[in-house]
Amino acid sequence: MKKKYKYNTLIFIVILLIICITFFKEFNRYSNIINLTWDIDLPRCSKEIYEIDSGPSFHGDGERYHILKYRNTKKVHPTLKWQDNNNLILEDDVKSILNNLNVPIEYHPNFNHDYKFYYISKENDGSKIYMILDDKTNNLYTIEHLQ
């Protein structure tokens, strides 16, 4: 009887642990963080290729960079009002942030061909997000500068 009780308790704890890990992992998906920070509802990506940030800070400021891979970027298109023209100022800002983060060149967006972009800046604190959508590679590059 005691063995059965211990066995059932152990199974219950393992199942509870799996549920907690799954919930924590799901809650901390980058698309959820983008939604909370910027009110942008991104579709679930198939894979997160690369991520880096400037490290923890007391005020939550710093820089973050993520590359999200989609099977098809058509799901991402209706999410935002993308701009089609390449933007040299945006490219310089993004390159500056990526250089500050020491991102290897192979993880930089390819600005040599057409891309779509979205940019917003929060008026209250000056935080910025740059989003670059590459339909050729099905990658979404998100670059955040939080103040």
Side-chain angles (χ1 to χ4, degrees), residues 26-57:
E26 186 68 21
F27 182 76
N28 283 320
R29 281 186 308 130
Y30 183 63
S31 57
N32 288 340
I33 293 168
I34 288 289
N35 194 344
L36 290 171
T37 308
W38 300 98
D39 198 26
I40 296 172
D41 191 18
L42 292 174
R44 177 179 232 148
C45 67
S46 60
K47 183 178 178 183
E48 192 168 319
I49 295 174
Y50 185 83
E51 71 173 289
I52 190 168
D53 62 43
S54 55
S57 79

Side-chain angles (χ1 to χ4, degrees), residues 113-144:
H113 59 78
D114 292 336
Y115 58 85
K116 295 178 183 352
F117 71 91
Y118 179 79
Y119 162 81
I120 55 173
S121 176
K122 290 185 176 181
E123 290 182 23
N124 60 340
D125 68 1
S127 294
K128 302 172 187 171
I129 185 168
Y130 306 88
M131 302 181 86
I132 300 164
L133 185 61
D134 188 334
D135 288 328
K136 288 185 179 184
T137 62
N138 291 328
N139 290 342
L140 174 62
Y141 303 87
T142 61
I143 305 95
E144 297 176 86

